[in-house]
Amino acid sequence: MNKIGVLTSGGDSPGMNAAIRAVVRKAIFHDIEVYGVYGGFAGLINGNIKRLGLGSVGDIIHRGGTMLQSARCAEFKTKEGQMKGIEQMREHGIEGLVVIGGDGSYRGAKALTELGFPCVGVPGTIDNDIPGTEFTIGFDTALNTVIDAIDKIRDTASSHERTFIIEVMGRDAGDIALWAGLAGGAETILIPEENYEMDDIADKLHRGNERGKKHSIIVVAEGVCSGVEFARKLKEAANIDTRISVLGHMQRGGSPTAADRVLASRLGARAVELLLDGQGGRAVGIERNRLVDYDIIEAIEEKKHVLDLDLYKLSQELSI
Ligand code: ADP
């Protein structure tokens, strides 16, 4: 393999730039040319492809977002769209592709692989919802953004003796809510993986009040319901007034943490090694701090992301 491509796709996440940098530098280290595909799979179809030199990825390791831009592209879900993408890569002499993104992007990479074009997936999403890896690039940064917000909200919550509901992202996964709730000392954490009893939540808030607690923080994962909806239910069920804070897209931005930069560097470089080794159709991940790789098709169709339920239990024990 002499030339490879790299693209970022789907929702962006902090650390994608560090992953791009790792792909480019690792490839050049092995005398391989690298081409950046701008604008995800849409850019692939349109041939928005440019050679990336060593300097092109300078000064990006600390920046959020993605220098290659990202996009959602419905056309790429069709075989015609995928064939156009392959055609563009063949015209540029590209023989393998690193796809940095979430599970939707993995499906795109899987489709290309099934059409005979080798791709390696790198897990980039704040949601931490990709099967086959304990952590995804951007999750740690998003967590730190959320706990920074929780800490600030806690200050005002205690001044006014208020109960706050903080809605966080995560799509169908509760990882951001769970980890940030635990790290931020939230009284209650609602995640889509576990049911909740409104009576238990109300009892805990009342007990806290009686003990003289000045504030309460409830973290709600977007996969459960919106913060507004939960506030309405809590008011109806227990006549408890709350304030709501929806953190939204700020969770997707910001300078990546050291942990995300290191993870992105390791995973990006490993993806290049696999392509050089002639191994397409793989996805890379991290398990017990070791790099792993697995069949990208199997990953999507058979594996399932599992939330750490021990951590959930612990969060409950620590917030009685
Ligand atoms: P994420 O990668 O963050 O999960 P999306 O689910 O939006 O984001 O997927 C990103 C892009 O991946 C889509 O816009 C589309 O171009 C491509 N994609 C998603 N699903 C498929 C599929 N089944 N086949 C081919 N490409 C897909």
Side-chain angles (χ1 to χ4, degrees), residues 4-308:
I4 63 168
V6 56
L7 63 76
T8 49
S9 165
D12 66 337
S13 71
M16 279 185 162
N17 276 327
I20 296 166
R21 173 180 178 272
V23 169
V24 171
R25 296 263 166 102
K26 178 79 175 178
I28 293 176
F29 179 82
H30 288 287
D31 289 327
I32 305 292
E33 282 183 20
V34 192
Y35 287 78
V37 179
Y38 288 78
F41 290 122
L44 189 60
I45 290 176
N46 299 327
N48 195 355
I49 298 171
K50 292 189 190 87
R51 173 115 184 246
L52 297 175
L54 278 180
S56 65
V57 289
D59 213 18
I60 62 165
I61 196 165
H62 61 302
R63 293 189 199 281
T66 157
M67 66 166 273
L68 292 177
Q69 306 287 348
S70 190
R72 296 209 153 89
C73 171
E75 190 185 352
F76 202 74
K77 292 186 181 171
T78 65
K79 190 166 171 205
E80 292 70 38
Q82 294 152 14
M83 290 308 295
K84 278 190 204 166
I86 290 179
E87 201 46 47
Q88 290 287 0
M89 286 192 282
R90 295 222 163 109
E91 273 175 29
H92 285 83
I94 299 168
E95 297 152 284
L97 181 69
V98 177
V99 173
I100 306 166
D103 62 344
S105 306
Y106 272 29
R107 286 180 194 281
K110 172 195 146 183
L112 289 177
T113 300
E114 283 174 339
L115 290 169
F117 196 93
C119 290
V120 174
V122 174
T125 166
I126 63 165
D127 302 326
N128 209 40
D129 61 351
I130 309 264
T133 186
E134 277 169 9
F135 297 107
T136 57
I137 298 165
F139 174 61
D140 187 64
T141 306
L143 276 185
N144 280 282
T145 301
V146 175
I147 60 165
D148 185 47
I150 293 178
D151 292 349
K152 286 176 175 147
I153 288 168
R154 182 191 282 276
D155 287 344
T156 172
S158 51
S159 307
H160 292 275
E161 305 201 5
R162 275 180 179 146
T163 297
F164 260 87
I165 293 170
I166 303 178
E167 180 193 315
V168 302
M169 283 181 158
R171 293 208 301 188
D172 297 330
D175 292 56
I176 294 180
L178 175 56
W179 285 66
L182 181 58
E187 274 68 32
T188 298
I189 301 170
L190 303 185
I191 53 173
E193 292 84 352
E194 289 288 301
N195 294 325
Y196 66 87
E197 289 295 332
M198 193 58 97
D199 288 347
D200 294 346
I201 294 173
D203 284 351
K204 196 192 253 187
L205 290 171
H206 289 311
R207 276 201 315 274
N209 265 349
E210 282 158 19
R211 234 171 57 219
K213 257 174 89 73
K214 291 210 166 63
H215 56 71
S216 286
I217 305 269
I218 301 173
V219 175
V220 182
E222 67 178 347
V224 174
C225 66
S226 73
V228 173
E229 191 182 334
F230 183 72
R232 185 180 49 74
K233 286 184 184 159
L234 190 60
K235 175 76 180 167
E236 267 171 29
N239 198 28
I240 293 173
D241 287 313
T242 53
R243 293 286 188 279
I244 305 151
S245 195
V246 181
L247 301 187
H249 280 77
M250 66 181 288
Q251 294 162 93
R252 291 244 291 257
S255 178
T257 58
D260 270 332
R261 297 181 202 189
V262 171
L263 180 65
S265 301
R266 293 174 75 188
L267 293 177
R270 183 78 189 112
V272 173
E273 278 174 2
L274 288 172
L275 283 179
L276 296 191
D277 206 26
Q279 297 195 53
R282 312 290 292 170
V284 292
I286 189 125
E287 302 272 0
R288 297 167 191 242
N289 204 23
R290 280 175 193 272
L291 293 176
V292 292
D293 59 271
Y294 45 89
D295 187 284
I296 198 166
I297 295 164
E298 203 180 291
I300 299 169
E301 287 170 2
E302 290 166 28
K303 290 188 184 206
K304 205 176 166 312
H305 165 69
V306 204
L307 175 123
D308 187 343

